[in-house]
Amino acid sequence: MTAILLGTEGDRRALGWFAAMVLVAGLRLLATRAWRRDPAARANARRWGRIGTAGAFAAGLVLGGGAAWLWPQSETYQLFWVFLVGGMCAGAAGLHHAHLPTLLAFILPAALPLVARYALEGTERSFGAVAMILVFLAAVSISAWRSSCDFAANLRLRLDLARQARELDAINGRLREEMGRRRATEASLRQAQKMEAVGQLTGGIAHDFNNLLTAVLGSLAMLRKRLPEGDARAARLLENALQGAQRGAALTQRLLAFGRRQSLNPAAVDLPALVRGMAELLRGALGGAVHLRSDFPPGLPPVFADANQLELAVLNLAANARDAMPGGGEIVISAAGREVLAGEVSGLPAGAYVVLSVTDAGEGMDEATLAQAMEPFFTTKGVGKGTGLGLPMVHGLAAQSGGRFLLRSTLGVGTVAELWLPQAAAPAAQRARVAAAPAPARRGTLLLVDDDPLVLASTAAMLEDLGHSVVEAASAAEALDRLRGGLAADLVITDYAMPGMTGLELAEALRRLRPGLPVLLATGYAELQGEVPHGLPRLDKPFEQAALARATDACLSGVGAS
C-alpha cells in the first residue's frame, strides 16, 4: 500500500505510516518473545493477556488511522484500502477467534475510521459502503464470538478431562495399592491356611506315632528286663533301639508342637532366671567360636508359658543363630515388655506381652528363604544336619501359648527371632497332673481301656510287670459292662480317643456308676487341657514304664485322684 501511495499519488506521508506499522509489529514481536521466556507465564496469564490485547488494539488503530489519514481521492484506491483493511480484519478473525476481546481490539479501530470517512462524504454511495462495512464487522464479530464460546467450551472440556484423568490415575494408584495389599493379605491367609492344614495333618500323624511309640518303648523296656546277662551285643542293640525310639518320641513332640497339639504345663516363668539356668547348656551347644550375651531389663515381668518347652525353643533359636555364623560371632538374647492395643499387632489380642528376642549377625536370609523358614521340614542346612522342625516348633509353641513368633532377616546382615508371650499376671493354677507318689507302691486290680491292640498289650505287660492285676477292655462300652458285671477295679486307665465313647465320657459315666473310683486319662491330645475336669489326672503319651508306675502309684494312693 505504501508503494502504491508513493508511486501513484506521491504522498510521502505513507513512509511515516509504514514506519508506525513496522514499529507496532516489532513491539508485538518483542512482547511475544518475552511471554515465551517468562517461567511464570501461566501464573501471569491475565497480565500477558492485557498486553496482547493492547498490542492488537495498537495494530488496528495504526491500520485504520492510516487509512483515514492517507485516504486517496481515487475511488479505485479507496476500494483498495477497504479490501486491505477487510482482509486484515478477516485474518485477525482467524488468528484471534479463541479470544474475542483481542479480535475486537483489532477490528474496531481498524474498520471504524473507514466508516467515519465514508459517512463524512454524505453520499448515497458512501452510506451504502458504511452499511456494508458494518455488516461485515457484525458478521466477523458474531463468528468470532461463537468461535470463542466453542473454544472456551472445548477448553473447559479438555481441562475437565485432564482433571478427571488425574483423578482416575490417583484412583488407579490407590486401587493398585489396595490390590497389592489384598494380594499380600490373601497370600498370608493362604499361607496360614496351608500351615494350619499341615499342622492338623502333622498333629494327627504325631498322635498316631505316640501310640506306636508307647507300644515300642514299653516293649523294649520289658525286653531289657528279660535280657539274659552277659549278652553284650544284644544289650547294645536293645539300647540302640531304645535311643531310636526316644529320638522318635522327641521328634513326635516337635510335630505336636508345630501342630499345636503338644501337652503344655504353663506357669509363670522368669525369663532371666530361665536363660541363666540354661547358660551352661547353651555354651556347650554353641561352641567356643560363638559368644553369648543376654540383655534383660530390671523388673521384667514373668511370662505365662511352659518352662520346658520354652527352654527347647530358646535352644533351637540359639542353635539356628550359631549355624548362621559359621565363622563365629555374637548371639544376643534379650527381652522387653510390650503393651499391645486391639488390632495393633496382627494375630494378637490386646494385652501385656513380653518379647523374647534372639539376635545374630550371621548370613541372614533373602525374602524367598524367609517366606519358607517356618514351613515344616524346610531347612537350609545340609542333608542330615536338620529336620526343618525347629522353627515350626517355636511357632507352634508361641501360638499355643497365646502369643506369636516373628522372624526379621536381611541377607548379609543377620536375623532377629522374636517370641511374643503373654505376661503372667499372677501364678496360675496348674492343671492337675501326675506327680510322684510319696507313699510306698500299692498293688491293685486295674481296668485298662484302649482301642489300639498294640498299646493295650504293651501297657498291660508293663502294669503286670509292676505287680498289678490287669483286666483289658478294647472299648469304653466293654469297660462299663465289666464293671456292671461285678469287677472290683481299684483304678481305671483309659485312652481318650476311642470310637463310640471317649475317655472323658467314660470317666463321667464312671463317676455316676462307681463314685470314688479313680480314673487315669492316657492321651497325647493337648486340646484336652481346657476340657479335662479338675482332679482328673492324665498321663501323656508316649510314656515309659517308670512314668506309668508313678502315675498308677499316685492314683492308687489318692494323690491327684478324683
Side-chain angles (χ1 to χ4, degrees):
M1 191 64 192
T2 301
I4 290 173
L5 291 174
L6 289 173
T8 58
E9 298 190 1
D11 191 349
R12 302 192 65 83
R13 294 179 302 171
L15 293 175
W17 171 74
F18 177 77
M21 288 294 294
V22 171
L23 177 62
V24 171
L27 292 175
R28 293 183 73 187
L29 180 60
L30 292 175
T32 301
R33 290 184 175 179
W35 166 70
R36 288 177 176 173
R37 289 195 298 267
D38 185 4
R42 186 181 297 273
N44 300 326
R46 290 184 179 275
R47 181 169 67 87
W48 283 114
R50 288 192 292 268
I51 293 174
T53 302
F57 177 79
L61 185 61
V62 172
L63 179 62
W69 182 43
L70 299 174
W71 190 250
Q73 296 299 319
S74 170
E75 291 184 4
T76 302
Y77 294 132
Q78 290 176 2
L79 290 175
F80 200 85
W81 268 114
V82 171
F83 280 116
L84 174 64
V85 172
M88 295 293 288
C89 289
L95 288 174
H96 304 305
H97 70 280
H99 192 238
L100 185 61
T102 302
L103 176 63
L104 295 178
F106 179 82
I107 66 174
L108 292 179
L112 290 180
L114 294 180
V115 172
R117 190 74 186 192
Y118 273 119
L120 289 175
E121 292 182 2
T123 64
E124 183 178 350
R125 182 188 64 82
S126 64
F127 284 124
V130 167
M132 289 174 55
I133 294 173
L134 291 177
V135 169
F136 173 75
L137 289 178
V140 171
S141 299
I142 292 173
S143 177
W145 171 73
R146 294 181 63 181
S147 297
S148 178
C149 291
D150 290 342
F151 179 82
N154 289 334
L155 181 60
R156 283 193 296 269
L157 179 61
R158 291 176 63 183
L159 292 175
D160 288 342
L161 289 175
R163 176 181 54 81
Q164 292 174 5
R166 289 193 299 270
E167 292 176 354
L168 185 60
D169 286 342
I171 292 173
N172 285 336
R174 291 194 296 269
L175 182 60
R176 285 191 293 268
E177 292 177 0
E178 183 63 29
M179 290 175 62
R181 287 193 293 267
R182 182 166 183 173
R183 282 194 294 267
T185 302
E186 289 176 350
S188 299
L189 180 59
R190 286 194 296 269
Q191 179 70 7
Q193 290 173 339
K194 180 179 72 173
M195 296 293 284
E196 183 67 24
V198 173
Q200 291 177 358
L201 176 63
T202 304
I205 293 174
H207 177 261
D208 292 339
F209 267 103
N210 268 339
N211 283 337
L212 296 175
L213 290 169
T214 299
V216 170
L217 287 170
S219 299
L220 290 175
M222 297 301 298
L223 182 60
R224 182 167 55 182
K225 285 188 175 184
R226 290 163 174 75
L227 189 68
E229 293 184 5
D231 193 342
R233 185 167 183 269
R236 186 170 61 256
L237 292 174
L238 183 59
E239 287 300 323
N240 289 341
L242 275 171
Q243 290 180 15
Q246 289 167 354
R247 289 177 62 181
L251 180 59
T252 303
Q253 288 302 311
R254 288 189 171 188
L255 290 171
L256 286 171
F258 168 70
R260 307 178 196 177
R261 296 187 177 186
Q262 65 178 339
S263 178
L264 296 181
N265 185 24
V269 178
D270 183 3
L271 283 179
L274 180 136
V275 174
R276 285 195 300 269
M278 57 185 304
E280 290 298 327
L281 175 63
L282 287 171
R283 279 193 288 270
L286 298 179
V290 176
H291 174 64
L292 180 65
R293 179 169 63 89
S294 59
D295 183 13
F296 296 104
L300 184 70
V303 298
F304 190 64
D306 186 300
N308 292 330
Q309 296 298 328
L310 189 53
E311 283 185 350
L312 287 177
V314 172
L315 187 59
N316 265 311
L317 295 177
N320 281 342
R322 174 205 63 198
D323 294 340
M325 299 186 297
E330 183 180 62
I331 297 175
V332 180
I333 301 178
S334 60
R338 175 75 183 273
E339 289 288 337
V340 174
L341 303 178
E344 181 182 0
V345 180
S346 175
L348 280 185
Y353 294 85
V354 173
V355 183
L356 175 65
S357 302
V358 178
T359 306
D360 67 67
E363 299 171 346
M365 293 178 280
D366 56 24
E367 292 184 2
T369 304
L370 186 61
Q372 303 178 74
M374 283 187 283
E375 293 186 2
F377 308 111
F378 174 81
T379 179
T380 58
K381 302 174 184 177
V383 178
K385 295 184 179 180
T387 62
L389 287 174
L391 293 182
M393 185 274 287
V394 179
H395 171 76
L397 170 65
Q400 195 173 353
S401 301
R404 67 176 303 187
F405 178 54
L406 293 176
L407 273 181
R408 292 184 285 108
S409 186
T410 303
L411 193 63
V413 176
T415 302
V416 179
E418 292 182 348
L419 185 58
W420 293 57
L421 296 170
Q423 291 185 13
Q430 302 299 306
R431 174 176 54 82
R433 296 184 64 86
V434 176
R442 176 186 165 190
R443 304 293 176 259
T445 301
L446 310 184
L447 176 58
L448 179 63
V449 188
D450 202 305
D451 65 318
D452 190 317
L454 288 176
V455 177
L456 187 64
S458 175
T459 307
M462 287 190 289
L463 290 172
E464 289 172 348
D465 184 68
L466 293 172
H468 299 290
S469 176
V470 181
V471 178
E472 300 178 12
S475 66
E478 182 181 347
L480 290 173
D481 289 341
R482 289 185 180 275
L483 291 171
R484 292 190 185 105
L487 175 64
D490 299 306
L491 171 65
V492 176
I493 303 175
T494 177
D495 184 30
Y496 166 72
M498 296 184 296
M501 181 182 293
T502 67
L504 287 180
E505 293 170 340
L506 174 60
E508 185 61 31
L510 291 176
R511 286 178 186 272
R512 297 191 296 269
L513 180 64
R514 294 277 185 91
L517 176 62
V519 178
L520 175 62
L521 186 67
T523 182
Y525 278 96
E527 289 91 337
L528 299 179
Q529 286 182 348
E531 301 178 14
V532 176
H534 178 69
L536 180 62
R538 24 178 313 184
L539 178 62
D540 294 328
K541 293 181 178 180
F543 51 81
E544 298 184 17
Q545 188 179 31
L548 180 62
R550 291 192 298 269
T552 55
D553 289 347
C555 291
L556 291 173
S557 62
V559 179
S562 57

